[in-house]
Structures are given as C-alpha cells and as structure tokens.
Amino acid sequence: MALLAAEGALGRIDGMVFADTGWEPRAVYAHLERLEREVLKPVGIPLHRVSSGNIRNDALNPASRFATIPLYVKNPDGGNGMLRRQCTGQYKVKPIKEKVRELLGAPYPIRIPRGVYVEQWIGISLDEVHRAKDSDVAYMRNRHPLLEMRWTRDDCIDFLKSRGWGTTPKSACLGCTYHSNAQWRALRDTSPDEWADVVAFDHAIRAGNARANAAGNPLLGEAFLHRSRVPLDQAPINRLTRAEQAVLNTTAPLWSDAEGDDGFETGCSPWSCRADNAHLEVIEHPLTQDDFDQAA
C-alpha cells in the first residue's frame, strides 16, 4: 500500500504509522528504513514510529507491566491450555491510537470533536478477507484498499517483485507463538543469533512472565512458545503441516495441524491478528460468493 500510495494509485495519504514492539526481526527494521528512504521521503509521506515498550524486556522484568503473550501451556494434569492474548492491544493498537489522537490534535484526555476522524488503511488481501474488521473507536475508520482492488496474496507479491521489493519481510515479534513451523525453521537456519535469542526467551518464560512470578502468581503449568509444548530448540519444527506438504508436493513427516498451523508465514497486524474473531466490513464494492470461495 505504501508503494501504491507513493505512485498515486490509491490517492494521497497523510502519513504512515509503525508500531514497534521492540522485538522485530532485523530484516523488518532494515526494510522499514529502506521504505522510508526510497519511497516515502521522496514524495513527502512521513513515517511515524510509535512504541509502548520492548515486549521481550517487559516479559522478563518483574518491575514492568506486561500484556501477556498467548503462550502455550502444559497443565499439571497433562492437559493443554493457552494464555490470554493481550500483546497486540498493548504494543500495537494502543500506541497507534495514541499517535492518531495526537495527529488529530486531541491527545488523551482531550475529547475528539464529533465527526473528526482518520481513515486508516489496512493491508488485508482477498485470501484473508475474513480478517477484515471495523475500528472500535469513532475517530478511526478502517479501509481495506487491497480488498477493494480484489488483490490476492499472489497479486501483492507480483506487484512487489515488479517494483524491486520481492523480498519484503513480514512484521511480527521474533517470539510470536503464531509462527508456522516454516517461520521457525527459517529463523533457525538463516539467523542463528536471533534463533538463540528466542530459544533463551522460551526457556526464561517457562513459569510465565516475571511480574506474575514476583507477585507470587506463577503459572500452575509450564509455558512454551511452540504449540508442541516442548522447549523450542527441541520442538518438531522440521515437520510440515498438510498445507506445506501440498505446496512442496512431498510426503515428509507431517505435523498435526489440530491447533490451526496453516503453514503460511504469518505476520502481525494491529487490527487483523490471526487470533482475533473475524468479521467483515462493508466496503464500497460488496464481495461476491466467488470471492469467498477463492478465500476459502
């Protein structure tokens, strides 16, 4: 959408906002710098970086408030559980809303006048139409340009390649529990130091976040980053999901996709996290049954 906006294909935008959790892959930060330098600055589009803190440091600091990551939990009775997901709201949605209020000239607790709002563009492609949703506040109205254009993931990739951006990385915390096995493998095989970082975090978070432990409220079970609920460096990440098998046309060892690992390399968007309950926004050009069939 940044490239399309810079080329004038989507109309003029007033700025872009990047919510930094403090624990993104190096490739994402490098991409952001290149995007600002080569695309945004030449056409006068400002990039606003916002943050609510470093999610990794906060989880390991007993003095910090911490919005829980949806860690996988192995209960004492052998059952499985998962912690409540609060990280997206705290580290992405909250700082973006604060910045939007500032740009509107009404930082909290100043009241925003009725009828004053920003139009916020969210890059959801047709393949993930089920993740599109409305904003939950009146001063932000969500728009999904890629849905209006009927662009699929492949359309986006083809466009990026045609503009020299074919290696665009996905934004998500290094230790996001919604990573697919393919993402874990890529991290292990291409970035050993970042892999060591998430392995160390996985070990440190076994009893839950440090603040809860310091307050005398440790988990009753054990927490893990990988859905197998074993230490990350021992997790069966070399096994494939059914989706990955189909793409690779292989009969390699299969990983159970009972927990929903669809095999795609997922990113983390503030208003379209894959963990959210999904609903559709009414857009200018209503979706047809063919659109739903294609998305399915």
Side-chain angles (χ1 to χ4, degrees):
M1 288 194 304
L3 297 178
L4 288 168
E7 293 179 5
L10 295 177
R12 177 69 183 180
I13 60 175
D14 297 306
M16 294 182 60
V17 182
F18 173 68
D20 186 3
T21 67
W23 202 24
E24 295 272 351
R26 282 193 303 270
V28 169
Y29 293 118
H31 165 77
L32 194 66
E33 291 174 1
R34 181 193 171 198
L35 187 67
E36 183 176 27
R37 181 179 64 253
E38 298 182 12
V39 176
L40 303 179
K41 283 187 175 180
V43 295
I45 298 175
L47 174 64
H48 307 286
R49 293 175 173 83
V50 297
S51 176
S52 286
N54 184 298
I55 191 171
R56 187 192 194 282
N57 293 346
D58 290 347
L60 303 181
N61 182 356
S64 295
R65 295 187 61 185
F66 178 64
T68 56
I69 297 171
L71 300 170
Y72 297 97
V73 177
K74 181 188 295 183
N75 297 321
D77 62 2
N80 294 330
M82 197 169 190
L83 296 184
R84 180 183 178 188
R85 182 186 62 86
Q86 298 175 312
C87 48
T88 301
Q90 175 66 30
Y91 291 94
K92 287 186 175 286
V93 175
K94 179 182 177 181
I96 289 176
K97 285 182 175 178
E98 291 175 347
K99 186 62 180 181
V100 167
R101 292 185 66 107
E102 176 189 322
L103 293 173
L104 289 175
Y108 183 83
I110 298 175
R111 185 180 182 84
I112 298 177
R114 184 184 298 274
V116 175
Y117 65 92
V118 299
E119 180 180 89
Q120 176 177 245
W121 295 359
I122 299 176
I124 296 176
S125 64
L126 192 59
D127 316 72
E128 298 184 315
V129 61
H130 57 282
R131 297 173 69 188
K133 61 179 60 177
D134 297 321
S135 172
D136 60 350
V137 292
Y139 60 86
M140 300 172 74
R141 298 185 184 179
N142 291 350
R143 179 184 171 190
H144 303 87
L146 300 181
L147 296 184
E148 296 171 10
M149 297 167 64
R150 299 294 202 276
W151 274 24
T152 65
R153 179 192 299 264
D154 287 340
D155 291 324
C156 295
I157 292 173
D158 289 343
F159 175 78
L160 289 170
K161 287 180 178 178
S162 73
R163 300 302 193 272
W165 292 81
T167 58
T168 301
K170 293 182 180 294
S171 174
C173 288
L174 283 170
C176 179
T177 55
Y178 293 111
H179 283 342
S180 67
N181 280 346
Q183 284 176 289
W184 288 126
R185 289 195 302 271
L187 190 65
R188 178 196 63 191
D189 298 341
T190 64
S191 186
D193 57 334
E194 290 183 314
W195 171 252
D197 180 45
V198 294
V199 167
F201 179 82
D202 174 72
H203 175 76
I205 208 73
R206 195 70 71 233
N209 74 76
R211 184 180 178 90
N213 292 332
N217 299 307
L219 289 176
L220 296 179
E222 293 182 307
F224 302 87
L225 287 180
H226 193 266
R227 57 184 47 82
S228 63
R229 294 173 176 83
V230 299
L232 185 58
D233 56 353
Q234 301 173 32
I237 63 174
N238 288 326
R239 296 185 180 182
L240 308 180
T241 65
R242 294 185 190 281
E244 288 172 326
Q245 277 194 333
V247 170
L248 297 175
N249 190 26
T250 179
T251 57
L254 179 71
W255 169 252
S256 170
D257 32 16
E259 301 242 22
D261 184 0
D262 57 16
F264 288 111
E265 295 185 8
T266 56
C268 183
S269 172
W271 277 270
S272 58
C273 178
R274 67 181 298 193
D276 288 337
N277 293 324
H279 67 277
L280 293 178
E281 178 191 16
V282 177
I283 59 178
E284 182 179 356
H285 305 288
L287 298 170
T288 66
Q289 185 60 48
D290 288 340
D291 294 328
F292 283 94
D293 291 341
Q294 182 174 4

